[in-house]
């Protein structure tokens, strides 16, 4: 078992999500930075889809009731074991040891995998917390406990541990590839590609809100609700785009101007980060 001593502002259990249920109104959810979670699992010998913890900006503090092998990837953080600084990404924690994942100094979200995985009860085949639909385990709170599964026989930690940050945290301006449609004809010209946008502090696991030059609509009125997907760029009445992330709704009534091909970099993009779009068509 793991006891949560400090949960942090938003720490959740995440795996690779629950695809295949959008027709029931259930989004995929799952880790925002899937490659970082996969890497953490590989480093402790887990299968890629094992559940770990996703922290946000301020980390968390955990006590391990039994000895454990832990890996931390994603955002660059400081680590302390029993109040002493340690180097990651792989940490061997003794029974009763307290591991503190500190404030992110680069990036936003860190991923903590423990050998055996976080063994909370799955919902629709996934252990992910869906912050919009309310499915899966509750977000972590101080004092709660988390079960740890058994490591598969014959599995051992592996993978490159030389640089825990470089594969996971992009730097500088983000350029996101996008395919226009289905409602790009509701907007003037190619305004989406002219201006730079900034990530808004109002962003969360549901969507990355952008702030910049408002897109101008050429059509009045509203749409009936339509299906939306991961990476859909929805444009509400204020003209400021929203890029849907893992916990997005499965339908929406605002026009979707296009779909971003890979939203992974947004998992580590801090508020104020500059975003530009590149036309993939």
């Amino acid at each position: 078992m793991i006891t949560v001593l400090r949960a942090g502002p938003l720490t959740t259990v995440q795996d690779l999500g629950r695809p295949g249920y959008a027709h029931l109104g259930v989004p995929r959810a799952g880790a925002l930075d899937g490659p970082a979670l996969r890497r953490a699992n590989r480093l402790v010998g887990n299968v890629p889809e094992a559940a770990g913890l996703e922290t946000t900006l301020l980390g968390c503090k955990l006590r391990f009731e039994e000895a454990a092998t832990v890996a931390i990837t994603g955002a660059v953080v400081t680590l302390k074991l029993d109040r002493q600084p340690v180097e990651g990404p792989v940490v061997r924690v003794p029974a009763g040891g307290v591991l503190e994942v500190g404030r992110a100094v680069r990036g936003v979200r860190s991923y903590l995998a423990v050998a055996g995985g976080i063994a909370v009860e799955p919902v629709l085949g996934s252990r992910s917390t869906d912050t919009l639909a309310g499915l899966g385990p509750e977000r972590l709170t101080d004092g709660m406990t988390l079960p740890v599964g058994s490591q598969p026989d014959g599995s051992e930690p592996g993978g490159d541990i030389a640089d825990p940050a470089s594969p996971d945290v992009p730097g500088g301006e983000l350029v996101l590839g996008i395919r226009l449609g289905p409602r790009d004809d509701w907007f003037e010209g190619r305004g989406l590609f002219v201006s730079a946008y900034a990530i808004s502090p109002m962003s969360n696991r549901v969507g990355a809100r952008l702030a910049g030059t408002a897109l101008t609509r050429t059509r009045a009125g509203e749409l009936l609700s339509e299906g939306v997907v991961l990476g859909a760029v929805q444009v509400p009445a204020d003209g400021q785009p929203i890029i849907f992330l893992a916990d997005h709704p499965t339908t929406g009534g605002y026009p979707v101007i296009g779909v971003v091909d890979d939203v992974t970099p947004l998992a580590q993009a801090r508020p104020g980060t500059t975003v530009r779009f590149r036309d993939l068509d």
Side-chain angles (χ1 to χ4, degrees), residues 167-225:
D168 303 328
V169 184
E173 178 179 281
L174 296 184
V175 179
L176 303 176
I178 186 172
R179 287 184 166 84
L180 294 179
R183 302 296 178 183
D184 54 306
D185 58 344
W186 281 52
F187 300 92
E188 283 187 359
R190 294 174 61 82
L192 191 69
F193 303 107
V194 173
S195 301
Y197 292 88
I199 300 288
S200 165
M202 300 300 292
S203 301
N204 53 29
R205 281 184 49 85
V206 176
R209 294 179 178 270
L210 305 183
T213 302
L215 297 174
T216 303
R217 287 203 16 190
T218 59
R219 296 191 186 186
E222 299 298 332
L223 288 165
L224 296 175
S225 288

Side-chain angles (χ1 to χ4, degrees), residues 23-274:
H23 64 295
L24 300 178
V26 178
R28 179 171 184 149
L32 289 190
D33 191 340
L37 177 61
R38 288 187 183 93
R39 183 165 181 264
N41 276 323
R42 184 174 71 249
L43 289 171
V44 297
N46 288 343
V47 294
E49 59 269 22
L53 299 181
E54 178 184 276
T55 72
T56 308
L57 284 175
L58 301 183
C60 63
K61 187 176 182 180
L62 310 169
R63 183 174 67 238
F64 291 75
E65 308 306 335
E66 296 183 6
T69 300
V70 175
I72 300 92
T73 59
V76 179
V77 296
T78 57
L79 298 173
K80 291 184 178 180
L81 177 60
D82 293 331
R83 300 185 179 182
Q84 299 300 312
V86 292
E87 294 293 328
V90 176
V91 180
R92 270 75 178 185
V93 183
V98 174
L99 180 67
E100 183 168 7
V101 180
R103 179 188 300 268
V105 296
R106 181 178 167 211
V108 176
R109 294 173 176 90
S110 293
Y111 293 85
L112 185 150
V114 57
I118 303 296
V120 296
E121 194 68 25
V123 177
L124 295 178
S126 170
R127 294 180 168 89
S128 287
T129 301
D130 183 332
T131 60
L132 181 65
L135 292 176
E138 297 290 331
R139 65 181 65 187
L140 268 62
T141 56
D142 295 355
M144 74 183 298
T145 58
L146 298 168
V148 176
S150 300
Q151 191 165 352
D153 291 340
S155 65
E156 295 197 4
D160 177 18
I161 64 172
D163 184 355
S166 58
D168 303 328
V169 184
E173 178 179 281
L174 296 184
V175 179
L176 303 176
I178 186 172
R179 287 184 166 84
L180 294 179
R183 302 296 178 183
D184 54 306
D185 58 344
W186 281 52
F187 300 92
E188 283 187 359
R190 294 174 61 82
L192 191 69
F193 303 107
V194 173
S195 301
Y197 292 88
I199 300 288
S200 165
M202 300 300 292
S203 301
N204 53 29
R205 281 184 49 85
V206 176
R209 294 179 178 270
L210 305 183
T213 302
L215 297 174
T216 303
R217 287 203 16 190
T218 59
R219 296 191 186 186
E222 299 298 332
L223 288 165
L224 296 175
S225 288
E226 299 180 313
V228 293
V229 298
L230 180 70
V233 182
Q234 193 181 69
V235 185
D238 64 2
Q240 302 293 332
I242 301 171
I243 306 173
F244 280 143
L245 302 180
D247 291 354
H248 67 84
T250 55
T251 61
Y254 293 119
V256 171
I257 192 171
V259 179
V260 171
D261 70 329
D262 181 12
V263 298
T264 301
L266 293 166
Q268 303 296 354
R270 292 193 170 209
T273 298
T274 299

